[in-house]
Amino acid sequence: MGWFGGCAPGARPVAPVGARLLWSDPPVWTVGSWPDRLLKTVRGDGALIAVFGSCSASVDDLARALTVEDLSAVGGAWAGSYTVIRTGRDGTVEVIADAAHACPVYTAQFPGGTVWGASSRALAGLVGGGVDAGWLAPYLADKRAALPGRTAWEGVAPVPAGHRLVLRPGGEVSVSSWWSPPRRTYAGAVPLVRRVLLEGVRARVEGVASSSDLAGMDSTTVAVIAARYGPVLGMTAHPAGVTEGGDMTYARALEVPGLTRSPFPLQPCHLPFSEAGDPLPVTDEPAPSSASWAMFSAQLRAVSRAGAVCHLTGDGGDNAFLYSPTHLVDLVRRGRLVRLAGDAQAWARLRKTSPWPLVGAALRCDTARLARPWLARPSWLTAPVVAPAPLEVGAPVEVGADAALIAGIRGAARLAAADCQLAAALGVELHNPFFDGALLDAVVSVPSWERFSVRRYKPLLVDAVGDLLPEFHRRRVTKGVFAEDFHRGVRVNFGRVLPLSEGRLAAMGLVDPGPLRATIRGVVLGVKTVWPPLLAALGAEMWLEAIEAAPSVAWSPVVEGVR
């Protein structure tokens, strides 16, 4: 797993065992492999600037940013998902965390001072922190929710998304917001969405062998964009023996220069909860793909054998472009009751339900109910849950569609970072361009009622880049559904799944095994299941098991380095 970090100026210089120093005063180091396109550095006049991750900035852009007064105003506007670090001549360290939370950054206090880094588990190895049960409880209730100031590890704190961490000589540490949602017209945002998507993908794939999921509109869009910058292997998962219909129909119809299509037949051994050939790697927090690790790891192995260095997904496309009717709250607050009634009725007809619950939630300003009406406290969760703030520190305090959009993207992007760690353990870079901070900036700038539509599928995405897709794909309004795969996976692997209900989470007093066992048995019998909380509990149990099997990260003093 590749990550990076450093020490505050004046702190006792330490680094993870095996780290490579980029800078020694104060130390900035990397762990694992960092190719040049994912680590850009410029030094000059006793200062250093480094960008970790996929970023559209050139070396000349970095050189100009080396001396600007407001680093976030420049470094936060580039396309891609990345973290910017600048060390000044006086030793002051600035860390600019991305707006979307796709590249989490953390801090920890140890007897020698403050350290910061991109892996919460690694920092926990320095401070001796174990798993934080207080963080796990709200995670089990809603895995997207982030408990302010806490991580999955005791003694390790997050730098909130869209914030600047500054560590000064003398021990002063401050965190302040650098990003807030801008305002643009729909017409003004469309070309920006196009630019940041194209440049974000280009920054990832140009000059390297790449692969991409090739399934719904989101992954197809990413694959087509990637093919503009080099050869791409497009992989479509499908049930073995079923080669027509669904995603396969659209994949077969896609003829794009530079794109090679490759089917990935799913065998019974790929079902969720099946035993995988590779053990589940340990990650900073439970990874969304833990339950489907047998399939996910097999797909990653397949693209790696085909020569791909990085693999692109369409994850985040729904978060950014497929909206629940949270904008109804904004309409209420602006007194636009006729539009409220019309949109509520249109949404209700689409969902074959009554509009009155939508209107009631809008009048109560209950964006959470509008966004995810199925979300409820699971019956097996026994621990008290501290209600998390609706947004991270510094984000908009008003309750509305923008706040819900930002929170949803940040929560999903944070989870996706754990999947990137899974892939990295197999030597594959996993990239999710729809979680780029510049894309969030562009999307949320559009008034919520102009983003929303029941008549057009993902209108902002289609208007921005739809011309890059064939008309057949541009007009697609369906996507694959895999709930049945999870039902089958639990039935086939019942002997492996049921013991997860009475393991470490139960020992920590976080879940009641009885109701959790009953839910699992209900899945086997075909009972309709709300999957997110169940997968959160089972995935967390698998994560705890992986932690026990992996050694903690070892640290050592910094002896010498470069300046």
Side-chain angles (χ1 to χ4, degrees), residues 83-84 94-108 114-118 120 123 146-151 156-167 173-178 392-393 410 414:
T83 306
V84 184
E94 295 176 80
V95 181
I96 308 300
D98 76 298
H101 215 11
C103 305
V105 179
Y106 311 93
T107 64
T114 301
V115 292
W116 59 271
S120 56
L123 295 185
L147 195 59
R150 303 273 282 276
T151 69
V156 181
V159 176
H163 279 61
R164 174 196 299 105
L165 169 69
V166 180
L167 306 106
V173 179
S174 64
V175 177
S176 59
S177 175
W178 68 264
E392 297 180 67
V393 177
R410 286 177 170 176
R414 191 201 81 236

Side-chain angles (χ1 to χ4, degrees), residues 365-443:
C365 293
D366 190 352
T367 53
R369 182 58 55 187
L370 289 168
R372 291 185 288 171
W374 47 263
L375 189 64
R377 182 187 175 99
S379 61
W380 57 80
L381 183 60
T382 58
V385 176
V386 178
L391 291 174
E392 297 180 67
V393 177
V397 295
E398 63 180 69
V399 176
D402 288 349
L405 176 63
I406 294 167
I409 287 178
R410 286 177 170 176
R414 191 201 81 236
L415 293 167
D419 269 355
C420 292
Q421 292 178 332
L422 290 182
L426 299 185
V428 177
E429 299 171 16
L430 188 69
H431 293 278
N432 307 298
F434 289 113
F435 287 133
D436 288 357
L439 183 64
L440 168 61
D441 184 272
V443 169

Side-chain angles (χ1 to χ4, degrees), residues 54-56 74-82 97-102 178-179 182 184 189-200 204 320-321 409 432-445 460:
S54 54
C55 180
S56 65
V74 177
W78 298 320
S81 289
Y82 54 87
D98 76 298
H101 215 11
W178 68 264
W179 181 83
R184 300 182 183 93
V190 165
L192 182 58
V193 169
R194 183 185 183 94
R195 181 182 66 79
V196 298
L197 265 178
L198 266 63
E199 295 211 355
R204 291 166 163 91
F321 297 107
I409 287 178
N432 307 298
F434 289 113
F435 287 133
D436 288 357
L439 183 64
L440 168 61
D441 184 272
V443 169
V444 78
S445 70
L460 184 53

Side-chain angles (χ1 to χ4, degrees), residues 20-24 28-30 39 41 43 48 50 52 562:
R20 179 175 69 89
L21 278 173
L22 292 179
W23 196 254
S24 62
V28 177
W29 28 256
T30 65
L39 171 54
T41 61
R43 296 181 176 87
L48 164 75
F52 292 89
V562 295

Side-chain angles (χ1 to χ4, degrees), residues 179-260:
W179 181 83
S180 60
R183 287 291 172 261
R184 300 182 183 93
T185 64
Y186 188 95
V190 165
L192 182 58
V193 169
R194 183 185 183 94
R195 181 182 66 79
V196 298
L197 265 178
L198 266 63
E199 295 211 355
V201 173
R202 178 190 60 78
R204 291 166 163 91
V205 306
E206 197 167 43
V208 297
S210 305
S211 61
S212 175
D213 291 341
L214 192 58
M217 176 182 284
D218 301 327
S219 59
T220 300
T221 299
V222 169
V224 169
I225 293 174
R228 295 165 64 94
Y229 305 109
V232 177
L233 176 71
M235 183 165 284
T236 304
H238 65 94
V242 180
T243 58
E244 299 294 339
D247 292 339
M248 285 298 292
T249 295
Y250 288 89
R252 286 181 182 277
L254 187 63
E255 295 286 350
V256 175
L259 178 67
T260 301

Side-chain angles (χ1 to χ4, degrees), residues 7 57 78 85 101 106 126 139 161 239 246 269 319 394 422 547 550 552 563:
C7 299
W78 298 320
I85 294 95
H101 215 11
Y106 311 93
L126 175 65
Y139 172 90
C269 63
N319 302 94
L422 290 182
I547 289 170
S552 60
R563 173 74 186 192

